């Protein structure tokens, strides 16, 4: 995403306004070096780095007390590198944006912001109290609300028009052709929208599952075990005693996905997801998928303009399961390392970055601060003016149905437990005959063994 000079000037003015209004006072003396570690969450893509670099330059020119330095690390190795730096006593000053997964991997390594908030008094009046509490554990607050990514259904309007089917519901509680908008209804539509090379859909006799040219549905970049499971309701991998458990509704969700991939064939398997014709992983963007379930951040990876493969798209609410909606949430923020020797300066730099609209736009993030939301909506609407008229009420309403507990919940021995869950999820997409019940029982045992090693 490129920013014009006009946009940069506007963003700089907003940043200057933020510094004037949040009550931050820069320390006197020589410049204090503060290191911003990027990559544990979003921020490491080729499109995002120049925007972040420009923000750092603006910050350093805006004052002469703090020198902000950014370090960008590929997301695939960022966690390992950060762990190594912490072990070596060379941790950065703050990280971000980082979500629940990144937080869980380094739980206990982040500073309590309570004294810093009391000292610098940032203006959080535009933030919902519930979001402020989201980042608190009792009296400890390790983050401030920043970027929220509600989840919903993206759908290809042209493919629905070709099939002669109405669009999925834009409002919670709406029905679809007289039926409850649940995961079973989505399944039926997705099968009708899955087409083979001979023009037959997945509900018709003679459908060739080996020659699919269009799929009805994909869980776009949300194929983790807990991410898939939470579509059927939020739950926990630990019981009241802290022991591993596998919720029954999660087993049902995994079966639903397995059937969709291997039996009903309205979803791609692991090999098909990676094929160039289906977007080489960025599946919905290929124009060959009717629906995709993902988060708001996906708009950064969906092409716009005349050359977009998805010419017209819209957004719909997540389907329900057993009468309950669960629109899982990704929520990112910045976090200061407990080991930082420059926490005052880090907090001031971090809060300044959190006020920059161009950063929120490049992260594809819906601002937690309602005062910044109109700018974000306006910019996204401009980007996709040719391709979508986004129903922002659908996006906002999805925040009312977030998953509690989060699908990115912390569990004991997190890194090893996460690896166990990842391998389990990968098998669903690679093994057509996987026995979900039996493997879920083994998963519980493997997780408990992992938990035991953390004690």
């Amino acid at each position: 995403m490129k920013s014009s000079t006009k946009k940069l000037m506007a963003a700089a003015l907003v940043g200057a306004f933020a510094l004037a209004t949040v009550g931050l006072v820069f320390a006197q003396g020589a410049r204090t070096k503060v290191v911003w570690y990027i990559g544990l969450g979003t921020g490491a893509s080729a499109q995002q780095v120049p925007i972040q670099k420009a923000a750092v330059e603006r910050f350093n020119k805006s004052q002469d007390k703090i020198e902000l330095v950014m370090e960008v690390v590929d997301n695939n190795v960022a966690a390992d590198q950060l762990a190594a730096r912490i072990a070596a006593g060379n941790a950065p000053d703050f990280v971000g944006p980082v979500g629940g997964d990144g937080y869980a991997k380094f739980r206990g390594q982040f500073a309590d912001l309570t004294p810093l908030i009391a000292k610098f008094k940032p203006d959080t009046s535009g933030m919902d109290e519930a979001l402020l509490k989201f980042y608190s554990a009792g009296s400890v607050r390790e983050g401030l609300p920043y970027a929220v990514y509600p989840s919903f259904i993206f759908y290809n309007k042209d493919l629905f028009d070709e099939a002669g089917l109405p669009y999925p519901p834009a409002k919670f509680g709406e029905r679809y052709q007289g039926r409850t908008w649940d995961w079973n209804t989505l399944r039926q539509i997705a099968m009708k929208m899955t087409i083979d090379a001979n023009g037959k859909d997945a509900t018709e006799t003679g459908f060739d599952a080996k020659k699919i040219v269009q799929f009805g549905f994909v869980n776009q970049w949300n194929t983790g075990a807990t991410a898939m499971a939470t579509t059927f309701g939020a739950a926990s991998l630990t019981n009241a005693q802290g022991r591993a458990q596998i919720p029954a509704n999660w087993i049902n969700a995994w079966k639903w996905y397995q059937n969709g991939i291997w039996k009903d064939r309205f979803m791609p398997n692991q090999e098909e997801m990676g094929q160039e014709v289906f977007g080489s992983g960025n599946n919905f963007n290929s124009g060959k998928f009717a629906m995709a379930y993902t988060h708001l951040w996906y708009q950064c990876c969906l092409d716009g303009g005349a050359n977009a493969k998805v010419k017209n798209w819209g957004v719909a609410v997540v389907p329900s399961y057993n009468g309950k909606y669960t629109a899982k949430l990704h929520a990112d923020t910045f976090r200061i390392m407990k080991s930082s020797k420059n926490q005052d300066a880090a907090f001031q730099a971090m809060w300044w970055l959190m006020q920059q609209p161009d950063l929120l736009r490049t992260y594809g993030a819906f601002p937690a601060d309602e005062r910044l939301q109109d700018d974000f909506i306006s910019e996204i609407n401009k980007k996709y003016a040719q391709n979508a008229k986004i129903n922002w009420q659908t996006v906002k309403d999805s925040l009312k149905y977030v998953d509690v507990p989060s699908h990115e919940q912390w569990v004991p021995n997190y890194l090893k437990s996460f690896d166990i869950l990842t391998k389990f999820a990968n098998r669903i997409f690679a093994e057509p005959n996987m026995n979900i019940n039996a493997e879920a029982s083994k998963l519980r045992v493997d997780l408990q063994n992992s938990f035991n090693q953390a004690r």
Side-chain angles (χ1 to χ4, degrees), residues 6 8 56 79 127 129 134 169 229 249 374 413 420:
K6 183 177 180 181
L8 288 176
V56 168
M127 301 175 183
E129 187 63 29
F134 182 83
N249 58 313
D374 287 345
N413 203 6
I420 291 170

Side-chain angles (χ1 to χ4, degrees), residues 140-313:
V140 176
R141 178 175 292 176
E142 295 181 352
L144 285 166
Y146 176 57
V148 290
Y149 304 87
S151 62
F152 43 85
I153 301 291
F154 285 78
Y155 64 91
N156 188 321
K157 291 184 175 181
D158 289 339
L159 297 186
F160 272 84
D161 291 343
E162 289 174 13
L165 291 172
Y167 302 146
K171 296 181 180 179
F172 287 93
E174 280 187 346
R175 298 175 73 81
Y176 186 86
Q177 293 186 312
R179 290 173 288 176
T180 300
W181 177 240
D182 58 15
W183 287 100
N184 184 55
T185 297
L186 183 143
R187 166 187 170 273
Q188 295 172 21
I189 300 168
M191 291 181 70
K192 290 287 294 182
M193 302 286 280
T194 300
I195 311 298
D196 70 10
N198 298 314
K200 289 185 177 293
D201 69 55
T203 69
E204 294 182 294
T205 302
F207 170 76
D208 192 343
K210 295 182 179 180
K211 296 182 179 179
I212 296 175
V213 297
Q214 174 184 301
F215 282 97
F217 177 75
V218 65
N219 214 26
Q220 183 67 59
W221 289 327
N222 277 279
T223 55
T226 58
M228 289 190 290
T230 299
T231 56
F232 276 38
S236 177
L237 284 167
T238 56
N239 62 21
Q241 291 72 44
R243 297 188 62 80
Q245 65 175 5
I246 308 297
N249 58 313
W250 284 18
I251 294 175
N252 291 337
W254 293 328
K255 289 179 179 178
W256 186 91
Y257 282 100
Q258 182 189 46
N259 287 334
I261 297 164
W262 300 108
K263 180 183 177 183
D264 298 327
R265 291 298 283 133
F266 62 83
M267 291 179 62
N269 59 37
Q270 184 171 289
E271 179 183 353
E272 291 163 336
M273 283 191 293
Q275 292 176 1
E276 184 176 357
V277 68
F278 294 127
S280 302
N282 190 0
N283 301 130
F284 185 73
N285 190 58
S286 70
K288 298 184 181 299
F289 288 78
M291 294 176 285
Y293 176 49
T294 189
H295 292 259
L296 180 60
W297 45 252
Y298 181 63
Q299 61 81 24
C300 76
C301 303
L302 187 57
D303 294 334
N307 296 323
K309 293 180 180 178
V310 184
K311 299 297 183 182
N312 298 289
W313 56 270

